[in-house]
Coordinates of all heavy atoms in Angstrom, one line a residue:
S117 N 134.9 -71.8 96.2 CA 136.1 -72.2 97.0 C 135.9 -72.1 98.5 O 136.4 -72.8 99.3 CB 137.3 -71.4 96.5 OG 137.2 -70.1 97.0
H118 N 135.0 -71.1 98.9 CA 134.7 -70.9 100.3 C 133.7 -71.9 100.8 O 133.7 -72.4 102.0 CB 134.2 -69.5 100.6 CG 135.3 -68.5 100.5 ND1 136.3 -68.3 101.5 CD2 135.6 -67.5 99.6 CE1 137.1 -67.4 101.2 NE2 136.7 -66.9 100.0
M119 N 132.7 -72.3 99.9 CA 131.6 -73.2 100.3 C 132.0 -74.7 100.2 O 131.3 -75.5 100.8 CB 130.4 -72.9 99.4 CG 129.8 -71.6 99.5 SD 128.6 -71.3 98.1 CE 127.8 -69.8 98.7
N120 N 133.0 -75.0 99.4 CA 133.4 -76.4 99.1 C 133.5 -77.3 100.3 O 134.4 -77.1 101.1 CB 134.7 -76.3 98.3 CG 135.1 -77.6 97.7 OD1 134.5 -78.6 97.9 ND2 136.2 -77.6 96.9
K121 N 132.7 -78.3 100.3 CA 132.8 -79.3 101.4 C 134.1 -80.1 101.4 O 134.5 -80.6 102.5 CB 131.6 -80.3 101.3 CG 130.3 -79.7 101.8 CD 129.2 -80.8 101.8 CE 127.9 -80.2 102.4 NZ 126.8 -81.2 102.2
L122 N 134.7 -80.2 100.2 CA 136.0 -81.0 100.2 C 137.1 -80.2 100.9 O 138.1 -80.8 101.3 CB 136.4 -81.2 98.7 CG 135.5 -82.0 97.8 CD1 136.0 -81.9 96.4 CD2 135.5 -83.5 98.3
D123 N 136.9 -78.9 101.1 CA 137.9 -78.1 101.8 C 137.4 -77.6 103.1 O 137.8 -76.6 103.6 CB 138.3 -76.9 100.9 CG 139.1 -77.3 99.7 OD1 139.8 -78.3 99.8 OD2 139.1 -76.5 98.7
G124 N 136.5 -78.3 103.7 CA 136.0 -77.9 105.0 C 134.8 -76.9 105.0 O 134.4 -76.5 106.1
G125 N 134.3 -76.5 103.9 CA 133.2 -75.6 103.8 C 131.9 -76.4 104.1 O 131.9 -77.6 104.3
K126 N 130.8 -75.7 104.1 CA 129.5 -76.4 104.5 C 128.5 -76.4 103.3 O 127.3 -76.6 103.4 CB 128.9 -75.7 105.7 CG 128.5 -74.2 105.5 CD 127.7 -73.8 106.7 CE 127.1 -72.4 106.4 NZ 125.9 -72.0 107.1
G127 N 129.1 -76.2 102.1 CA 128.2 -76.2 100.9 C 127.5 -74.8 100.8 O 127.7 -73.9 101.6
G128 N 126.6 -74.7 99.8 CA 125.9 -73.4 99.6 C 125.1 -73.4 98.3 O 125.0 -74.4 97.7
F129 N 124.7 -72.2 98.0 CA 123.8 -72.0 96.9 C 124.2 -70.7 96.1 O 124.4 -69.7 96.7 CB 122.4 -71.9 97.4 CG 121.3 -72.0 96.4 CD1 121.5 -72.3 95.1 CD2 120.0 -71.6 96.7 CE1 120.5 -72.4 94.1 CE2 118.9 -71.7 95.8 CZ 119.2 -72.1 94.5
I130 N 124.4 -70.8 94.8 CA 124.8 -69.7 94.0 C 123.7 -69.4 92.9 O 123.4 -70.4 92.1 CB 126.2 -69.9 93.4 CG1 127.2 -70.1 94.5 CG2 126.6 -68.7 92.5 CD1 128.6 -70.5 94.0
V131 N 123.2 -68.2 92.8 CA 122.2 -67.8 91.9 C 122.8 -66.9 90.9 O 123.3 -65.8 91.3 CB 121.0 -67.2 92.6 CG1 120.0 -66.7 91.6 CG2 120.4 -68.1 93.6
N132 N 122.9 -67.3 89.6 CA 123.5 -66.4 88.6 C 122.5 -65.8 87.7 O 121.6 -66.5 87.1 CB 124.5 -67.2 87.8 CG 125.8 -67.4 88.6 OD1 126.1 -66.7 89.5 ND2 126.6 -68.5 88.2
I133 N 122.5 -64.4 87.6 CA 121.5 -63.7 86.8 C 122.0 -63.6 85.4 O 123.0 -63.0 85.1 CB 121.2 -62.3 87.4 CG1 121.0 -62.3 88.9 CG2 120.1 -61.6 86.6 CD1 119.7 -62.9 89.4
S134 N 121.3 -64.3 84.5 CA 121.5 -64.2 83.1 C 120.4 -63.3 82.6 O 120.3 -62.2 83.1 CB 121.4 -65.6 82.4 OG 121.6 -65.5 81.0
S135 N 119.7 -63.7 81.6 CA 118.7 -62.9 81.0 C 117.8 -63.8 80.0 O 118.3 -64.8 79.6 CB 119.4 -61.8 80.1 OG 118.5 -61.1 79.3
V136 N 116.7 -63.3 79.6 CA 116.0 -64.0 78.5 C 116.8 -64.0 77.3 O 116.7 -64.8 76.4 CB 114.6 -63.4 78.2 CG1 113.6 -63.8 79.4 CG2 114.6 -61.9 78.0
L137 N 117.8 -63.0 77.2 CA 118.7 -62.9 76.1 C 119.9 -63.8 76.3 O 120.8 -63.8 75.5 CB 119.2 -61.5 75.8 CG 118.0 -60.4 75.6 CD1 118.6 -59.1 75.2 CD2 117.1 -60.9 74.5
G138 N 119.9 -64.6 77.3 CA 120.8 -65.7 77.5 C 120.3 -67.0 77.1 O 121.0 -68.0 77.1
I139 N 119.0 -67.0 76.7 CA 118.4 -68.3 76.1 C 117.8 -68.1 74.8 O 117.4 -69.0 74.1 CB 117.4 -68.9 77.1 CG1 116.5 -67.9 77.7 CG2 118.1 -69.6 78.3 CD1 115.4 -68.4 78.6
E140 N 117.6 -66.8 74.4 CA 117.1 -66.5 73.0 C 118.0 -65.4 72.5 O 118.5 -64.5 73.3 CB 115.7 -65.9 73.1 CG 114.6 -67.0 73.4 CD 114.5 -68.0 72.3 OE1 114.7 -67.6 71.1 OE2 114.1 -69.1 72.6
P141 N 118.3 -65.4 71.2 CA 119.2 -64.3 70.7 C 118.7 -62.9 70.9 O 117.5 -62.7 70.8 CB 119.3 -64.6 69.2 CG 118.8 -66.0 69.0 CD 117.9 -66.3 70.2
G142 N 119.6 -62.0 71.2 CA 119.2 -60.6 71.3 C 119.8 -59.8 70.2 O 120.9 -59.2 70.3
T143 N 119.1 -59.7 69.1 CA 119.7 -59.1 67.9 C 120.2 -57.6 68.1 O 121.3 -57.3 67.6 CB 118.6 -59.1 66.8 OG1 118.2 -60.5 66.7 CG2 119.2 -58.6 65.4
A144 N 119.5 -56.8 68.9 CA 119.9 -55.4 69.0 C 121.1 -55.3 69.9 O 121.8 -54.3 69.9 CB 118.7 -54.6 69.6
T145 N 121.3 -56.3 70.8 CA 122.4 -56.3 71.7 C 123.1 -57.6 71.7 O 123.0 -58.4 72.7 CB 122.0 -55.9 73.2 OG1 120.9 -56.8 73.5 CG2 121.5 -54.5 73.3
A146 N 123.8 -57.9 70.6 CA 124.4 -59.2 70.4 C 125.6 -59.5 71.4 O 125.7 -60.7 71.8 CB 125.0 -59.3 69.0
I147 N 126.3 -58.5 71.8 CA 127.4 -58.7 72.7 C 126.9 -59.1 74.1 O 127.3 -60.1 74.7 CB 128.3 -57.4 72.9 CG1 128.7 -56.8 71.5 CG2 129.5 -57.7 73.7 CD1 129.4 -57.7 70.5
Y148 N 125.9 -58.3 74.5 CA 125.2 -58.6 75.8 C 124.6 -60.0 75.8 O 124.8 -60.8 76.7 CB 124.1 -57.6 76.0 CG 123.3 -57.8 77.3 CD1 123.7 -57.3 78.5 CD2 122.0 -58.4 77.2 CE1 123.0 -57.5 79.7 CE2 121.3 -58.6 78.4 CZ 121.8 -58.1 79.6 OH 121.0 -58.3 80.7
S149 N 123.9 -60.3 74.7 CA 123.3 -61.6 74.6 C 124.4 -62.7 74.6 O 124.2 -63.7 75.4 CB 122.5 -61.7 73.2 OG 121.8 -62.9 73.1
G150 N 125.5 -62.5 73.9 CA 126.6 -63.5 74.0 C 127.1 -63.7 75.4 O 127.3 -64.9 75.8
S151 N 127.2 -62.6 76.1 CA 127.7 -62.8 77.5 C 126.7 -63.5 78.4 O 127.1 -64.3 79.2 CB 128.1 -61.4 78.1 OG 126.9 -60.7 78.4
K152 N 125.5 -63.3 78.1 CA 124.4 -63.9 78.9 C 124.2 -65.4 78.6 O 123.9 -66.2 79.5 CB 123.1 -63.1 78.9 CG 123.2 -61.8 79.5 CD 123.4 -61.9 81.0 CE 123.5 -60.5 81.7 NZ 123.6 -60.6 83.1
F153 N 124.4 -65.8 77.3 CA 124.4 -67.2 76.9 C 125.6 -67.9 77.7 O 125.5 -69.0 78.1 CB 124.6 -67.4 75.4 CG 123.3 -67.6 74.6 CD1 122.5 -66.5 74.4 CD2 122.9 -68.8 74.2 CE1 121.3 -66.6 73.6 CE2 121.7 -69.0 73.5 CZ 120.9 -67.9 73.2
G154 N 126.7 -67.2 77.8 CA 127.9 -67.7 78.5 C 127.5 -68.0 80.0 O 127.9 -69.0 80.5
V155 N 126.7 -67.1 80.6 CA 126.3 -67.4 82.0 C 125.5 -68.7 82.1 O 125.7 -69.4 83.1 CB 125.5 -66.2 82.5 CG1 124.9 -66.4 83.9 CG2 126.4 -64.9 82.6
V156 N 124.7 -68.9 81.2 CA 123.8 -70.1 81.2 C 124.7 -71.4 81.1 O 124.7 -72.3 81.9 CB 122.7 -70.1 80.1 CG1 121.9 -71.4 80.2 CG2 121.8 -68.9 80.4
G157 N 125.6 -71.3 80.1 CA 126.5 -72.5 79.8 C 127.4 -72.8 81.0 O 127.6 -73.9 81.4
F158 N 128.0 -71.7 81.6 CA 128.9 -71.9 82.7 C 128.1 -72.4 83.9 O 128.6 -73.4 84.6 CB 129.5 -70.5 83.0 CG 130.2 -70.4 84.3 CD1 131.4 -71.0 84.5 CD2 129.7 -69.6 85.4 CE1 132.1 -70.8 85.7 CE2 130.4 -69.5 86.6 CZ 131.6 -70.1 86.7
T159 N 127.0 -71.8 84.2 CA 126.3 -72.2 85.4 C 125.7 -73.6 85.3 O 125.8 -74.4 86.3 CB 125.1 -71.2 85.7 OG1 125.7 -69.9 85.7 CG2 124.5 -71.5 87.1
K160 N 125.1 -74.0 84.2 CA 124.6 -75.3 84.0 C 125.7 -76.3 84.0 O 125.5 -77.5 84.5 CB 123.8 -75.4 82.6 CG 122.5 -74.7 82.6 CD 121.5 -75.4 83.5 CE 120.9 -76.7 82.9 NZ 119.9 -77.3 83.7
S161 N 126.9 -76.0 83.5 CA 128.0 -77.0 83.6 C 128.4 -77.3 85.0 O 128.8 -78.4 85.3 CB 129.2 -76.4 82.8 OG 128.9 -76.1 81.5
L162 N 128.4 -76.3 85.8 CA 128.8 -76.5 87.2 C 127.7 -77.1 88.1 O 128.0 -77.7 89.1 CB 129.3 -75.2 87.9 CG 130.5 -74.5 87.4 CD1 130.8 -73.2 88.2 CD2 131.7 -75.4 87.5
A163 N 126.5 -76.9 87.6 CA 125.3 -77.4 88.4 C 125.1 -78.9 88.0 O 124.0 -79.3 87.6 CB 124.1 -76.6 88.1
N164 N 126.1 -79.7 88.1 CA 126.1 -81.1 87.8 C 126.2 -81.8 89.1 O 126.9 -81.5 90.0 CB 127.2 -81.4 86.8 CG 127.1 -82.8 86.3 OD1 127.2 -83.8 87.0 ND2 126.9 -82.9 85.0

Side-chain angles (χ1 to χ4, degrees):
S117 73
H118 288 287
M119 294 169 168
N120 189 354
K121 284 186 173 172
L122 295 172
D123 289 334
K126 59 169 193 160
F129 191 10
I130 300 172
V131 177
N132 285 338
I133 310 289
S134 175
S135 167
V136 289
L137 303 184
I139 46 175
E140 288 291 334
T143 305
T145 50
I147 312 303
Y148 178 83
S149 184
S151 72
K152 293 295 183 176
F153 265 77
V155 171
V156 176
F158 169 71
T159 309
K160 287 291 287 181
S161 301
L162 292 181
N164 187 295

